[in-house]
Amino acid sequence: MTPQTGYGARLLSQLTLSSCLRHGTLLVLALIMLFPFYWMIVTAFRPAQEVFSGSFSWLPQQFVGWDNFRTALADAPLLRYMLNGAIVCAGVLLVQLATAIPCGWALARYRFRGDRLLFGAVLLGLCIPIQVPAIPLFLGLAATDLLNTYFALMVPFFLSVFAIFLFRQSFKIFPEDIVQAARLDGLSEMAILWQIVVPASKPAIAAFSVFSVTSHWNDLYWPLIVITNAELMTPPLGLASFADPEIGANFGALMASATIVTLPLMILYLFIQRHFIQGVTNTGVK
């Protein structure tokens, strides 16, 4: 064996070992991330006595899945909760896009006095959770008699500083030559944004849409504050109906409900995962 051959063999061995370690680590992390979903689905098909059993089994020893799903659909109006969640998510997302896209474009392309200060305020807004302005928002909605409405569920999230930041990062890499050519053709600034830039920024919009819909579909904190009417409950708040203060929660039906509620998000991601990954990569949001 020549020295070059021996070096090549050692290099190939090191690359193979390194590749195995990387893929092994990713596989372990993937299993850790997916295990709660697996356990949710398996528990949805278990009887109550198996849920509290001291023994561990990967699959249900007694299959009662359809009973749990029937109970879930009978005990609570899940379809109504999911419709409420869809209305809230769609309303919030549309207003967020309508406000954040022009703001992101202005911060990315225009230089004006105070632009750096304004962008700093956007970054500062990323650090403020909804719990901070919750009391003033609640008092304002109560004073205007807007509690127990779709508007109350949506209004705190109409302006998204995360969306402004995301679109600013995306618009900064948009080719300036295309913008200048559109201006020479006589297009207005708003026409350039909505007719040229936005259609070319579908990956960034898809990425933000996933973040927004997932966040507001799963939100429990704000609906718990402003909603007491069962007809307006969102999916997470509706799932609380399976907890009985006297007999406890029916975990089989609860997990069946959680499976039904989670399914739309999984389907949404499967449809736009390519745009989502591309949008996250292009905007540098990790």
Side-chain angles (χ1 to χ4, degrees):
M1 180 182 295
T2 62
Q4 291 82 0
T5 304
Y7 175 77
R10 289 195 301 273
L11 181 60
L12 180 61
S13 176
Q14 292 175 358
L15 289 175
T16 303
L17 179 61
S18 176
S19 178
C20 289
L21 288 175
R22 286 198 302 269
H23 285 81
T25 302
L26 291 174
L27 180 61
V28 171
L29 293 176
L31 291 174
I32 293 174
M33 293 294 295
L34 292 174
F35 184 78
F37 294 97
Y38 159 79
W39 197 250
M40 174 184 70
I41 295 172
V42 170
T43 305
F45 291 94
R46 295 182 189 272
Q49 59 270 22
E50 264 190 56
V51 173
F52 296 100
S53 174
S55 60
F56 176 83
S57 62
W58 288 98
L59 296 174
Q61 299 176 359
Q62 183 182 353
F63 185 87
V64 295
W66 303 125
D67 294 335
N68 288 333
F69 280 93
R70 278 195 296 268
T71 301
L73 293 171
D75 286 1
L78 283 181
L79 297 181
R80 177 66 189 182
Y81 298 154
M82 294 170 69
L83 176 62
N84 293 336
I87 292 172
V88 171
C89 291
V92 169
L93 179 61
L94 288 175
V95 178
Q96 285 178 336
L97 293 177
T99 55
I101 288 176
C103 291
W105 179 250
L107 288 173
R109 291 293 174 167
Y110 301 135
R111 300 277 72 85
F112 52 89
R113 182 176 298 178
D115 59 340
R116 293 179 179 272
L117 181 63
L118 185 58
F119 182 61
V122 170
L123 296 179
L124 180 63
L126 292 172
C127 305
I128 302 176
I130 183 60
Q131 289 81 3
V132 173
I135 294 178
L137 285 170
F138 175 82
L139 293 176
L141 291 169
T144 53
D145 197 26
L146 288 174
L147 295 177
N148 282 309
T149 62
Y150 286 122
F151 181 79
L153 286 168
M154 295 186 286
V155 65
F157 312 104
F158 280 160
L159 182 63
S160 171
V161 289
F162 174 71
I164 296 173
F165 171 75
L166 186 79
F167 292 132
R168 180 207 182 247
Q169 298 302 105
S170 176
F171 294 155
K172 281 182 71 69
I173 63 175
F174 190 82
E176 181 65 23
D177 293 342
I178 297 178
V179 177
Q180 294 298 340
R183 287 171 179 160
L184 291 175
D185 288 339
L187 287 180
S188 66
E189 294 298 315
M190 293 303 291
I192 293 172
L193 173 60
W194 293 105
Q195 296 178 21
I196 298 177
V197 178
V198 169
S201 303
K202 288 181 181 178
I205 294 174
F208 174 71
S209 298
V210 171
F211 286 125
S212 176
V213 171
T214 302
S215 173
H216 299 109
W217 183 270
N218 294 326
D219 185 25
L220 174 63
Y221 175 79
W222 186 246
L224 188 63
I225 293 176
V226 298
I227 295 298
T228 56
N229 185 355
E231 293 295 318
L232 295 174
M233 287 184 177
T234 54
L237 189 58
L239 292 181
S241 63
F242 288 93
D244 191 297
E246 296 182 358
I247 64 174
N250 183 346
F251 283 98
L254 180 61
M255 292 299 104
S257 304
T259 302
I260 296 172
V261 167
T262 306
L263 190 60
L265 296 181
M266 295 182 177
I267 295 174
L268 172 66
Y269 180 76
L270 288 176
F271 272 105
I272 64 174
Q273 61 176 328
R274 180 171 62 87
H275 294 295
F276 173 77
I277 295 171
Q278 184 181 353
V280 172
T281 303
N282 291 344
T283 54
V285 178
K286 304 297 183 182

